[in-house]
Amino acid sequence: MDQLKQVVGLVRSVLAPELLGTYLHGSAVLGCLNPASDLDVLAVTRQSLDGRKRRALLEGLLKISGLTATVRPVELTVVVQSEVRPWRFPPVGDFLFGEWLREELRAGGLPQPGPMPDLALMLTMALAGDHPLTGPPPARLLDPVPHADLVRASIAGIPELLDNLADDTRNVLLTLARVWATLATGRIEPKDAAADWALSRLPPEHRPVLEHARHLYRNCLYTEETWSHELTAQVRPHVDEVLIHINELR
């Protein structure tokens, strides 16, 4: 995959010699890449990036990442090994790039270090996927994340998800289904598989919006996404139902 090679080449050129390893995670290792799936990459370094490296990495990613039929969105997370090994919660991420941050970052902000609960999920997926792009197997660099911290990380992301419900409905619904499934089973499933799991446990009246989100995920780019007025009216009641189940497990 040429785009993934570009990402790996950029990371290696900017972060060497401090780069310890680069790992694929997310949809590419959990199941398969659907039309709008991100290329999710985790980079592990010896030390925090300086301002020059942050700028070079950001400028390169703005050119490589996209939202078209031929260019996938890239999500790159950089973590300093000493911040996650030995493991503690909340973990600190050193750099994060994703398409949802593009406008904010282009306006002049550079990704900075900070608490990143989602790292618990990313590291778990990277360890389970065991897909090095550079460096040794991830288990040589990363500690396993306790289930209790997977739960904490999943719960911590819910307020931000709800804030984005109107603008990113597909992903919010699928991610909430995955939170529910993770809390119940201890596994991090692909988003469409988590939707399958949740649909089998939802009352019939709360299934249509999640079925539609799953269909969009499997078949459509974001530019092709549509929601009828009837489905839109069902989104919030569906979310409230899923939150009831999540709260019972937390």
Side-chain angles (χ1 to χ4, degrees), residues 29-58:
V29 298
L30 288 177
C32 64
L33 286 172
N34 289 295
S37 295
D38 290 3
L39 289 176
D40 296 299
V41 178
L42 173 73
V44 184
T45 63
R46 290 188 178 88
Q47 63 183 31
S48 180
L49 281 63
D50 61 25
R52 180 184 63 81
K53 290 182 177 180
R54 290 180 194 278
R55 174 63 64 186
L57 204 54
L58 174 59

Side-chain angles (χ1 to χ4, degrees), residues 225-237:
E225 182 169 335
T226 59
W227 288 82
S228 69
H229 292 303
E230 181 181 3
L231 282 173
T232 299
Q234 297 176 47
V235 167
R236 188 68 221 197

Side-chain angles (χ1 to χ4, degrees), residues 83-105:
E83 294 289 351
V84 293
R85 192 173 208 182
W87 170 258
R88 63 269 200 191
F89 190 91
V92 172
D94 197 59
F95 178 102
L96 175 65
F97 173 88
E99 274 298 320
W100 74 94
L101 296 170
R102 176 178 284 268
E103 295 309 313
E104 175 185 338
L105 296 173

